[in-house]
Amino acid sequence: TLVDRGVLAAPGSVPTIDGALVRVERIRFYKQRIPSKAKVHVTVGHATVMAVVHFFGRELPAGGPEGDVAGFDFGADYAHQDELFGAGSWAPNDAEIERSGVGWPREQWALLDFETPVTCPLGSLLIAAKLDTDAHTPTCRLMFSGRLTCAFDAKDKAELAKVRVYKLKGREGRVERMEKDGRTAVCTGLFKRETDLSLFTGMRVRSENGAKGEIMGSFGKTGKVKVYFPDGLAEADDTKCRVVLEFKRYMHDGAKAMVQ
């Protein structure tokens, strides 16, 4: 016979895909770190292939039960994760919470880029493993699992742009002095001399104790800026307090825009 093996299905019901978006949960018996950009063995359908994985997540939507596997929300923002964190009954430690940037509990997703195409129906169970670990080592090799939510081509830039994954960026400076009006501060350390400050004019900042301000523009030519605090500094702030600027930068945005 010319046919070794195959899949019998209704036309169009079992696609062949190059990648996938999967809501995942770490297998708690796997003790090693699982970083983004790692190569893993993925078993889905009737195939086991290599894939590069990228993790991202968000806090669960209000009223969304943990474990509810809904479709991927392309209108939501997701925080990039350097690694996959524990989920479900495995409580996080303080270091995990600090590294994650997306709260707890969370919805964790994986973008998988398969080295070779896979034929399988959407909704299939997917299991990732590190099969190149010595089989005689007494350790779990299964890393994470999930249901294949939708097909996705990670090499298509237009497709990638639809997934709103961001990295949280920040800059920190300090108040050098307050102007006589008690609301305008000259701040230093936020920017370098050569920074184009027009890109940051109008962006929001906060003092170390929560006072909210807005960057008004440059002050001189050394990277200093004027920041206007409508309600002045917080009572707990001193005249040399820290000032923090935070913004999102979307990983697949070709314009590299800064968003607050």
Side-chain angles (χ1 to χ4, degrees):
T1 177
L2 297 178
V3 178
D4 180 25
R5 66 182 65 181
V7 177
L8 181 64
S13 64
V14 182
T16 298
I17 60 178
D18 297 303
L21 286 170
V22 184
R23 183 171 172 182
V24 295
E25 184 169 328
R26 180 180 175 128
I27 294 172
R28 64 190 181 96
F29 299 107
Y30 186 80
K31 301 302 183 183
Q32 304 301 314
R33 183 171 175 266
I34 310 176
S36 280
K37 298 184 179 180
K39 278 191 174 184
V40 299
H41 295 87
V42 172
T43 299
V44 60
H46 296 282
T48 297
V49 299
M50 295 297 294
V52 177
V53 62
H54 297 263
F55 298 112
F56 51 93
R58 62 171 176 167
E59 293 184 4
L60 289 172
E66 191 168 1
D68 177 27
V69 186
F72 185 79
D73 185 355
F74 284 94
D77 283 359
Y78 296 85
H80 165 77
Q81 294 178 204
D82 289 331
E83 62 186 282
L84 180 65
F85 297 96
S89 60
W90 186 22
N93 57 43
D94 291 341
E96 281 190 326
I97 294 174
E98 183 178 351
R99 292 200 306 271
S100 73
V102 291
W104 198 275
R106 67 172 58 79
E107 205 178 75
Q108 294 189 109
W109 291 84
L111 172 58
L112 292 155
D113 184 10
F114 301 139
E115 285 193 353
T116 56
V118 172
T119 300
C120 63
L122 299 182
S124 295
L125 175 66
L126 179 146
I127 299 174
K130 190 172 178 59
L131 298 180
D132 52 357
T133 302
D134 186 350
H136 301 290
T137 302
T139 184
C140 177
R141 297 191 292 170
L142 304 182
M143 305 168 80
F144 60 87
S145 65
R147 292 281 174 182
L148 197 154
T149 303
C150 63
F152 198 87
D153 186 356
K155 298 180 179 66
D156 187 328
K157 291 184 178 180
E159 285 283 290
L160 280 174
K162 297 177 183 178
V163 182
R164 297 170 57 84
V165 178
Y166 68 86
K167 287 187 176 181
L168 193 62
K169 301 289 186 178
R171 292 169 179 252
E172 187 175 298
R174 64 177 177 82
V175 173
E176 185 175 80
R177 72 169 189 271
M178 294 296 295
E179 299 285 68
K180 292 181 180 179
D181 63 3
R183 290 179 171 81
T184 304
V186 175
C187 298
T188 185
L190 280 169
F191 306 105
K192 297 179 180 179
R193 180 192 299 266
E194 62 272 17
T195 302
D196 182 0
L197 296 179
S198 65
L199 299 174
F200 298 89
T201 299
M203 296 189 77
R204 301 184 300 275
V205 300
R206 59 176 175 81
S207 72
E208 60 184 281
N209 288 294
K212 297 179 180 179
E214 181 180 322
I215 297 174
M216 305 303 293
S218 62
F219 181 83
K221 298 181 179 180
T222 60
K224 297 179 183 179
V225 291
K226 280 191 174 184
V227 177
Y228 182 70
F229 293 91
D231 299 318
L233 294 175
E235 289 186 11
D237 289 325
D238 59 37
T239 55
K240 302 292 183 181
C241 67
R242 290 186 299 114
V243 176
V244 178
L245 166 67
E246 292 180 329
F247 55 90
K248 296 176 181 178
R249 180 161 277 166
Y250 292 92
M251 295 179 64
H252 308 306
D253 175 18
K256 303 295 183 184
M258 297 173 290
V259 180
Q260 288 185 308

